[in-house]
Amino acid sequence: MNNSEQREEEAARRKVEEDATSPGRVFRDAAFAPEMVVIPAGEFLMGSPEDEENRREHEGPQHRAVILVPFALGKCAVTFDEFDHFVRESGYSHKPDDKAWGRGRGPAIDLSWRDAVAYCRWLSEETGHDYRLPTEAEWEYACRAGTTTPFHFGETISTDQANYDGNCTYGNGREGVYRGKTMKVGRFPANAFGLHEMHGNVWEWGADCYETDAYEKYIDVYPDMVGGMKFCLQRILRGGSWVNYPWGLRSANRNRCLADDRDDSVGFRIARTF
């Protein structure tokens, strides 16, 4: 191969790589894998300002977090269809309970942090790509999609936009409905990055260990995973769920749960490294 051919081949390879990480690109690595969206590199203010309604102390101090490279995030939470396929193919020991709400395109619930990690590891082996849970910083960055308001929808939220307990309101919002269960993924409007149900429906496991004062202690660490894969009792949850009041759905809201616990308000969304 002469120099000209080598240059052409290198240019073609770079073009393929650039196309693969083009922001907003939607793809699947396999028919049984979740649909993914490419999230661009960028930076944002992580956490909530001190005057945000219903703010909690562990949401601060606000700090600049830089996402250095693009990554992919699930367009929706992992569904029962997707998790059930994993159980059948791998022989995994836990088949989650759908609470008689329906499987299929419903968000998979009754899953611990360890169940979510097991799914990511299996999907990585099956596809040859690096699937994982998102870091807390990646999750909030993707949820906000360039916004600085309590919700990516704006200063308030409605039950036309998300699934939560609409008997209560936030800011100047209006009362809505309380559906009392999860809804199928993709039903509610997406944010500017093309991600559905980042607010409500199910809490979503994140990779990080939960620490109350994480933003004080690790302000120079974000957006890397806090705690890594070391043992810790509690892992981070984000996004709020069908059972929560609207303030629990705020982009900056942080929650946590024991890594082995399972609940009908908790599911997960996967990330992928390029």
Side-chain angles (χ1 to χ4, degrees):
M1 182 183 295
N2 60 40
N3 290 339
S4 177
E5 290 172 332
Q6 287 178 334
R7 286 194 296 271
E8 289 177 2
E9 184 176 287
E10 178 63 20
R13 183 188 63 79
R14 286 198 301 269
K15 180 65 164 57
V16 169
E17 291 176 352
E18 290 168 0
D19 289 346
T21 58
S22 177
R25 183 175 75 93
V26 179
F27 68 94
R28 272 195 177 98
D29 283 323
F32 53 81
E35 200 168 24
M36 308 295 290
V37 181
V38 177
I39 307 300
E43 62 180 72
F44 74 113
L45 274 179
M46 186 174 182
S48 58
E50 292 186 2
D51 61 351
E52 185 166 297
E53 184 179 343
N54 293 110
R55 178 188 192 267
R56 296 192 293 173
E57 193 65 27
H58 68 174
E59 296 170 20
Q62 272 194 310
H63 53 283
R64 175 175 171 266
V66 180
I67 308 298
L68 292 173
V69 295
F71 66 100
L73 195 65
K75 186 175 183 179
C76 301
V78 171
T79 66
F80 271 108
D81 272 345
E82 290 155 353
F83 199 87
D84 286 346
H85 178 86
F86 156 61
V87 172
R88 288 192 303 271
E89 294 298 311
S90 68
Y92 193 65
S93 58
H94 175 63
K95 182 178 181 180
D97 183 357
D98 66 3
K99 308 299 179 184
W101 297 339
R103 302 182 84 81
R105 293 289 292 167
I109 54 173
D110 185 36
L111 295 170
S112 70
W113 182 87
R114 300 189 197 285
D115 296 329
V117 169
Y119 175 84
C120 291
R121 287 174 175 164
W122 172 83
L123 189 60
S124 297
E125 292 171 358
E126 291 295 306
T127 64
H129 297 287
D130 181 14
Y131 282 96
R132 55 184 176 79
L133 293 177
T135 68
E136 189 171 12
E138 287 174 335
W139 192 97
E140 186 174 328
Y141 172 71
C143 177
R144 288 187 178 280
T147 63
T148 58
T149 47
F151 310 93
H152 65 67
F153 293 113
E155 294 290 345
T156 190
I157 196 167
S158 77
T159 55
D160 293 331
Q161 298 168 321
N163 183 22
Y164 63 92
D165 186 345
N167 291 310
C168 291
T169 62
Y170 186 89
N172 294 322
R174 65 184 188 276
E175 287 189 17
V177 299
Y178 176 48
R179 299 175 176 92
K181 62 179 182 178
T182 60
M183 306 300 289
K184 291 180 180 179
V185 303
R187 169 170 176 166
F188 295 94
N191 69 7
F193 283 162
L195 305 170
H196 294 266
E197 290 93 38
M198 293 297 285
H199 298 305
N201 213 27
V202 290
W203 287 104
E204 297 178 5
W205 287 112
D208 301 60
C209 292
Y210 171 79
E211 294 186 36
T212 302
D213 57 349
Y215 291 3
E216 290 279 5
K217 291 170 62 176
Y218 305 112
I219 197 163
D220 295 325
V221 171
Y222 285 104
D224 294 333
M225 188 196 316
V226 170
M229 295 302 289
K230 74 177 185 181
F231 172 79
C232 60
L233 287 176
Q234 295 180 316
R235 294 282 174 171
I236 201 73
L237 290 171
R238 286 299 201 118
S241 78
W242 61 271
V243 76
N244 293 105
Y245 295 139
W247 50 84
L249 278 62
R250 291 175 300 111
S251 299
N253 186 43
R254 307 175 72 219
N255 198 2
R256 74 277 193 186
C257 192
L258 296 174
D260 288 321
D261 279 3
R262 295 168 176 147
D263 191 88
D264 61 12
S265 67
V266 177
F268 68 104
R269 184 185 306 253
I270 59 174
R272 178 187 180 283
T273 303
F274 288 107

